[in-house]
């Protein structure tokens, strides 16, 4: 049985730090973000990421995004960031948006399915962002659901698929937004929406005017 942490009444840094240490050292945890619950591991621990793919029954051809805590962490894993990409991030980070950037060599190929780009998100949820900050590493994160199952937005909708397969579960109650993040990629200087979530194409375009 994974270690269950109840944070429905608020943040407990000591408890979050225990999970952060576990992730830093190769463990796997499910935790809340403002969009949906995520399952994550140290972005540089390939064996842990492989475990995520296996327990989610996720094809290795489907890349995983990275959660970051600040812009310096973004710049540690992404390169050649353009002015347009910076403007989008300055406007919508932290928040429910994932941006596709050119990756640095240090990002393992298993994260990006062998591609040269990586999804980056700075979560607005206090627990998720603090978890990344205390881990000290980007957290490779995907939604906490078995592939082709509905996204998990609370403990009850998730645990039956993941029981005894993860190290920690942080429960903060129902997800605030309840749908995955908007995914955007800048192509030839213009944003292209790959998946629309709570942030619309119009909002992104207006931010660049």
């Amino acid at each position: 049985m994974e270690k269950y942490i109840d944070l429905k009444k608020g943040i407990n840094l000591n408890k979050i730090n225990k999970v952060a240490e576990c992730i830093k050292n190769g463990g796997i945890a499910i935790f809340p973000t403002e969009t949906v619950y995520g399952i994550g591991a140290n972005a540089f621990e390939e064996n842990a990421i492989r475990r995520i793919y296996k327990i989610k029954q996720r094809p290795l051809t489907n890349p995983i995004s990275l959660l970051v805590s600040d812009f310096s962490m973004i710049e540690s894993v992404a390169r050649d960031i353009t002015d347009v990409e910076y403007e989008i991030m300055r406007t919508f980070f932290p928040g429910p948006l994932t941006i596709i950037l050119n990756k640095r060599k240090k990002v393992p190929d298993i994260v990006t399915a062998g591609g040269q780009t990586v999804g980056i998100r700075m979560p607005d949820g206090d627990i998720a962002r603090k978890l990344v900050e205390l881990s000290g590493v980007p957290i490779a994160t995907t939604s906490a659901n078995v592939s082709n199952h509905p996204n998990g937005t609370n403990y009850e909708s998730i645990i039956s698929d993941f029981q005894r397969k993860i190290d920690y579960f942080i429960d903060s109650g129902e997800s605030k937004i309840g749908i995955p993040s908007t995914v955007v990629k800048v192509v030839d200087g213009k944003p292209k929406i790959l998946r629309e979530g709570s942030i619309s194409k119009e909002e992104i375009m207006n931010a660049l005017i």
Side-chain angles (χ1 to χ4, degrees):
M1 175 67 181
E2 67 287 333
K3 296 176 182 176
Y4 174 83
I5 294 180
D6 186 348
L7 296 183
K8 292 193 290 291
K9 293 183 179 179
I11 285 183
N12 181 309
L13 289 181
N14 288 333
K15 291 181 178 180
I16 294 175
N17 193 54
K18 288 181 181 179
V19 183
E21 283 295 316
C22 175
I23 288 175
K24 184 178 180 180
N25 293 311
I28 291 178
I30 289 176
F31 53 88
T33 77
E34 77 276 25
T35 55
V36 296
Y37 276 75
I39 179 170
N42 184 333
F44 306 121
E45 288 286 345
E46 295 189 39
N47 288 337
I49 296 169
R50 199 171 294 278
R51 275 180 64 199
I52 290 178
Y53 274 102
K54 183 177 180 180
I55 65 179
K56 266 187 62 101
Q57 301 171 34
R58 182 183 180 92
L60 288 169
T61 53
N62 196 353
I64 294 178
S65 296
L66 303 184
L67 294 189
V68 298
S69 57
D70 53 37
F71 276 84
S72 64
M73 190 175 282
I74 294 172
E75 290 163 351
S76 74
V77 293
R79 60 178 176 82
D80 304 327
I81 303 172
T82 67
D83 291 342
V84 173
E85 290 165 340
Y86 269 119
E87 185 62 27
I88 291 171
M89 291 189 289
R90 281 192 292 265
T91 302
F92 296 103
F93 281 0
L97 181 132
T98 300
I99 187 167
I100 307 300
L101 301 174
N102 292 314
K103 81 175 188 77
R104 292 190 182 275
K105 290 182 179 180
K106 67 190 295 185
V107 178
D109 286 343
I110 192 171
V111 171
T112 64
Q116 295 304 305
T117 59
V118 62
I120 300 291
R121 186 161 99 82
M122 188 186 298
D124 192 29
D126 292 339
I127 293 172
R129 195 169 177 193
K130 183 58 69 174
L131 186 61
V132 181
E133 180 185 325
L134 292 174
S135 298
V137 293
I139 297 181
T141 306
T142 178
S143 55
N145 59 307
V146 171
S147 292
N148 299 318
H149 286 202
N151 292 302
T153 59
N154 55 50
Y155 177 81
E156 291 75 17
S157 68
I158 297 169
I159 194 58
S160 61
D161 284 334
F162 292 98
Q163 204 161 16
R164 293 182 294 277
K165 297 177 182 179
I166 59 173
D167 300 302
Y168 275 98
F169 193 114
I170 301 178
D171 184 4
S172 69
E174 191 72 25
S175 298
K176 180 180 178 182
I177 295 176
I179 58 173
S181 63
T182 296
V183 179
V184 62
K185 182 179 183 181
V186 176
V187 180
D188 296 328
K190 296 181 180 180
K192 179 180 180 181
I193 306 302
L194 305 183
R195 180 182 71 198
E196 189 164 316
S198 60
I199 295 175
S200 68
K201 179 179 180 179
E202 288 71 25
E203 287 177 282
I204 294 172
M205 296 303 295
N206 288 339
L208 299 175
I209 296 174

